[in-house]
Amino acid sequence: AHTKHALRLMEQLTVAIRMCEPVLLVGETGTGKTTVVQHLATLAHRDLVVVNMSQQSDASDLLGGFRPVDVRVLAEPAMEAFESLFFATFSRKANGGFMDTVRTVFARKQWTML
C-alpha cells in the first residue's frame, strides 16, 4: 500500500541508494520494511535477496562459515574420469602398473603425489 509512511521510506531509500550509502532498516515485524524494498527493486528491475535478521544474527549469517571438506569427495569424480580417459587413450595391459600406483597414492590421500 502506498501509505504516507511507505512513500516517505521509499523516497529516503532512493536517495540513499543514489548516494551509494548503506542502509539498515530496523523496526517491528510487519511494518513494511521488506515490502517497500521489494517494491523498489521491482520498479528498478533489479534482483533482490532478502535476508531476515534478528538479534541472534551474526556475521556468519551474511558471510557464511567455514565447513571442512573431505578432499577425497571432491577428487573421486576426477579420479574416475582420469582413469576412464587414461585407459581409453593408453593400453590397459602396458600401463596397468602405473594405474595401480596412481590408485594406491589416491587411496592413501597423498594428494601432492598426484
Side-chain angles (χ1 to χ4, degrees), residues 31-66:
T31 57
K33 299 176 300 291
T34 302
T35 303
V36 167
V37 174
Q38 288 172 329
H39 185 65
L40 280 176
T42 300
L43 291 173
H45 305 289
R46 302 295 298 253
D47 291 333
L48 174 68
V49 176
V50 176
V51 180
N52 291 314
M53 307 292 287
S54 69
Q55 290 184 2
Q56 288 76 36
S57 300
D58 62 15
S60 67
D61 294 327
L62 297 174
L63 303 174
F66 176 74

Side-chain angles (χ1 to χ4, degrees), residues 66-110:
F66 176 74
R67 189 178 87 205
V69 176
D70 183 7
V71 174
R72 186 181 181 104
V73 172
L74 299 174
E76 205 155 88
M79 178 64 178
E80 291 171 5
F82 170 76
E83 189 170 343
S84 175
L85 289 170
F86 184 82
F87 285 130
T89 307
F90 302 104
S91 165
R92 185 177 293 269
K93 185 176 181 179
N95 294 290
F98 170 75
M99 189 50 71
D100 288 342
T101 302
V102 170
R103 285 187 198 115
T104 301
V105 169
F106 184 86
R108 292 181 182 166
K109 299 182 180 181
Q110 296 173 323

